[in-house]
Amino acid sequence: MNSALILQDVVYVVALLAIGYPLGCYIYKIYNGERVALMRIFAPLEQLLYRVMGVDEEQQMYAKKYASSVLWFSLFGFLIVMGLHLVQAWLPLNPEQLENTSVHLAYNTAASFVSNTNWQAYSGETTLSYLTQMAGLTVQNFVSAATGIAVLFVLCRGFVRRETKNLGNFWSDLVKITLYILLPLSVVVCLILVSQGVVQTLDPYASYTTLEGTQGVLPLGPAASQIAIKQLGTNGGGFFGVNSAFPYENATPLSNIIEALCLLLIPAALCFTFGKAVKDTRQGKTILIVMTVIFVAALVGLSCAEIFGAPSWDSVASLGGSMEGKETRFGVGGSSLWAAATTAASNGSVNAMHDSLTPLGGMITMFLMQLGEVVFGGVGCGLYGMLAFALLTVLVIVLVPDFDKGKKEQNAKAEKKESMWKAFGMSSTWLCIFVIMCGYTLWNTANGYMGTYCTRVLNISPELSSTLSIIRSYIIVFVAGISGGIIMDKFSYKGKGMFWTFLATGVCVLAILFTSKIVAVCVVITVILAYLVNVLKSTYWSILGEAGVPLA
């Protein structure tokens, strides 16, 4: 393997951990309400924002109020982003006179960016005005990432605040995370990117004439400011259509490794923050080690697949690996590093075309995505996704054999001696990952069947079919969360309900394997499987206390 590639990957991992530790300690200070140096600059703005919003930052919230604040804020952001799409033609900062988007595209984009998904069905330079990009998408890049971190803060407080139901204040968390964490980091990264040639301007697109006399247009815009938070907030939505493969979005090898580092920086830092927050740094370090080991293994495998898995022909010069779909300024090394990082996180930005990866390289990126993007994952959500695996594993280990009530007290005493971090070394951890990975894979397959049925049989437009797919997912998650709690309450010991749900999930996986050629049946079973998986995801928190699993 190329020595420069190895050096790049080693420097990347070392820099990630070296910067992640002090950043994690800094984030802990924000979480704990301690004073930091930046408060001298931003404190007046922070207080002004509280007055404008009409909130008392000292008022504590219970879980229900905190959750409702998150949902109402997200709904408000969704309506703002969707509205900007629908009226951008009549608003300023639209030098290319771009038209309003369709309702379907506006809904799809708003739902995607508000939920930090950032899936795009458009090219930014031909579809969205500068105002929509800045006031709509860039703002959501900040606040959706801040919301993810705020939810992690609540989770940490829930672990340690056993004598009170107060979980902090969402509005205070949102403002502090944005002003003291995301904004300063984004400014630094933005300046670095501008120095490397990433564009940041409000000028109209530039015209040029080639040596052959052909006229062309160079798209411009305030890209660097959006790219910085797009990477730091694990958002992924590009300013331009080809994302970070475009030179004006990712200009040089240095900008490439900086952007790739930003992908995992905050998720790695939050592992240190979590350890400090729950008063046990071993737990944070253990989670970080697990994430790092899986990521490094995936990175090495992906790089080897792209270097040694390239096709070769006689009399054709070797390019040092498979260069199909890759930018020559990044090469195989820079493209493989980015591909591993963006699929380990819930980012989605690209500097190469992933459908051009070698079969083994593509398999590794799919594996990272089907893990639920918890190997570092998104800001906040990646960490509590990994915690979910750990806690679910402890429940499976402890609860599955617990059918003899006479042994319940003995098991409960044994449970309290278990430490959450030990679960990662147990085979059941990987069993849980496999089952949920199958659930996601087959749910996506069912969505594909339904999409094809809608477009080819019912003659529904692809745009409307995509919107219906999103709505279906939301409905299943909502129904699973409500009904799953009701079902679990029917069991005198909720651990049994958890076990039977888990068993039913396995049965569905086997049923789909035997009915894969019967599309209608496969779709129905897959919907049931998606429901069961979401029941598991939404109810295990409610039975932790009864199971006696230590959380701190």
Side-chain angles (χ1 to χ4, degrees), residues 84 92-93 129-142 200-202 221-223 225-226 239:
L84 283 172
L93 295 178
S129 68
Y130 292 167
L131 182 64
T132 304
Q133 294 264 34
M134 292 189 298
L137 306 189
T138 303
V139 168
Q140 283 304 317
N141 283 346
F142 275 97
Q200 180 70 20
T201 179
L202 296 177
S225 56
Q226 181 168 326
F239 192 92

Side-chain angles (χ1 to χ4, degrees), residues 327-351:
E327 296 290 305
T328 54
R329 66 186 185 280
F330 304 141
V332 172
S335 302
S336 299
L337 173 62
W338 191 295
T342 193
T343 51
S346 58
N347 187 270
S349 64
V350 294
N351 70 348

Side-chain angles (χ1 to χ4, degrees), residues 179-194:
L179 289 183
Y180 300 119
I181 301 174
L182 298 178
L183 187 59
L185 286 173
S186 296
V187 170
V188 173
V189 174
C190 177
L191 293 176
I192 296 175
L193 295 182
V194 170

Side-chain angles (χ1 to χ4, degrees), residues 169-410:
N169 185 294
F170 169 70
W171 308 110
S172 176
D173 288 341
L174 180 72
V175 171
K176 283 183 168 65
I177 292 167
T178 303
L179 289 183
Y180 300 119
I181 301 174
L182 298 178
L183 187 59
L185 286 173
S186 296
V187 170
V188 173
V189 174
C190 177
L191 293 176
I192 296 175
L193 295 182
V194 170
S195 73
Q196 295 300 298
V198 178
V199 295
Q200 180 70 20
T201 179
L202 296 177
D203 291 340
Y205 294 177
S207 301
Y208 66 92
T209 304
T210 66
L211 295 176
E212 292 82 9
T214 305
Q215 296 293 321
V217 176
L218 289 175
L220 302 174
S225 56
Q226 181 168 326
I227 303 313
I229 187 59
K230 149 196 155 183
Q231 300 299 92
L232 286 166
T234 58
N235 296 285
F239 192 92
F240 300 104
V242 293
N243 212 282
S244 287
F246 192 57
Y248 282 179
E249 192 163 319
N250 186 12
T252 66
L254 178 58
S255 71
N256 186 69
I257 197 166
I258 292 295
E259 290 186 27
L261 182 63
C262 291
L263 276 170
L264 303 183
L265 183 58
I266 294 179
L270 287 173
C271 293
F272 295 107
T273 303
F274 174 76
K276 285 179 168 291
V278 299
K279 314 303 181 186
D280 187 353
T281 56
R282 294 178 305 164
Q283 294 191 22
K285 290 178 181 178
T286 301
I287 294 173
L288 179 64
I289 290 171
V290 172
M291 291 178 172
T292 304
V293 168
I294 297 176
F295 172 73
V296 170
L299 176 59
V300 171
L302 182 56
S303 299
C304 290
E306 294 305 302
I307 291 175
F308 303 118
S312 60
W313 294 275
D314 293 338
S315 304
V316 177
S318 173
L319 297 174
S322 175
M323 284 297 295
E324 181 186 346
K326 298 178 179 65
E327 296 290 305
T328 54
R329 66 186 185 280
F330 304 141
V332 172
S335 302
S336 299
L337 173 62
W338 191 295
T342 193
T343 51
S346 58
N347 187 270
S349 64
V350 294
N351 70 348
M353 297 301 102
H354 287 193
D355 59 350
S356 293
L357 294 175
T358 61
L360 288 177
M363 181 193 72
I364 292 173
T365 59
M366 289 297 294
F367 171 75
L368 289 172
M369 285 188 281
Q370 296 303 332
L371 283 179
E373 295 170 325
V374 296
V375 182
F376 294 107
V379 287
C381 62
L383 179 54
Y384 47 75
M386 181 61 87
L387 289 172
F389 279 133
L391 296 171
L392 180 58
T393 299
V394 173
L395 290 176
V396 171
I397 294 170
V398 173
L399 300 176
V400 167
D402 191 15
F403 288 103
D404 185 354
K405 293 183 179 180
K407 296 181 179 180
K408 189 173 295 185
E409 291 184 4
Q410 181 180 352

Side-chain angles (χ1 to χ4, degrees), residues 378-539:
V379 287
C381 62
L383 179 54
Y384 47 75
M386 181 61 87
L387 289 172
F389 279 133
L391 296 171
L392 180 58
T393 299
V394 173
L395 290 176
V396 171
I397 294 170
V398 173
L399 300 176
V400 167
D402 191 15
F403 288 103
D404 185 354
K405 293 183 179 180
K407 296 181 179 180
K408 189 173 295 185
E409 291 184 4
Q410 181 180 352
N411 287 338
K413 291 179 181 179
E415 290 166 22
K416 292 180 180 179
K417 296 179 181 179
E418 291 288 338
S419 180
M420 183 183 69
W421 63 270
K422 293 181 181 178
F424 291 104
M426 301 178 183
S427 59
S428 297
T429 301
W430 309 107
L431 174 63
C432 292
I433 291 175
F434 173 76
V435 170
I436 295 181
M437 183 174 67
C438 287
Y440 280 122
T441 302
L442 296 168
W443 167 238
N444 290 334
T445 303
N447 251 341
Y449 284 138
M450 293 181 195
T452 302
Y453 182 80
C454 289
T455 54
R456 296 189 179 182
V457 179
L458 302 180
N459 294 321
I460 296 175
S461 67
E463 293 83 3
L464 181 56
S465 176
S466 176
T467 301
L468 291 175
S469 174
I470 296 174
I471 295 173
R472 280 197 303 270
S473 299
Y474 286 163
I475 290 174
I476 288 179
V477 171
F478 178 77
V479 171
I482 299 297
S483 62
I486 296 174
I487 292 171
M488 291 299 173
D489 286 339
K490 300 298 182 182
F491 289 88
S492 57
Y493 182 58
K494 296 186 180 65
K496 286 188 177 181
M498 193 76 172
F499 169 73
W500 286 114
T501 306
F502 192 85
L503 184 62
T505 302
V507 171
C508 282
V509 171
L510 294 176
I512 287 177
L513 295 177
F514 288 106
T515 61
S516 58
K517 294 183 179 180
I518 309 174
V519 175
V521 176
C522 188
V523 167
V524 172
I525 297 176
T526 308
V527 172
I528 297 173
L529 176 62
Y531 168 78
L532 292 172
V533 169
N534 280 286
V535 168
L536 286 171
K537 289 167 60 180
S538 61
T539 57

Side-chain angles (χ1 to χ4, degrees), residues 83-104:
L84 283 172
H85 280 71
L86 298 176
V87 298
Q88 68 173 10
W90 307 310
L91 297 177
L93 295 178
N94 186 11
E96 302 308 309
Q97 302 299 311
L98 298 174
E99 296 294 329
N100 300 328
T101 68
S102 67
V103 175
H104 302 116

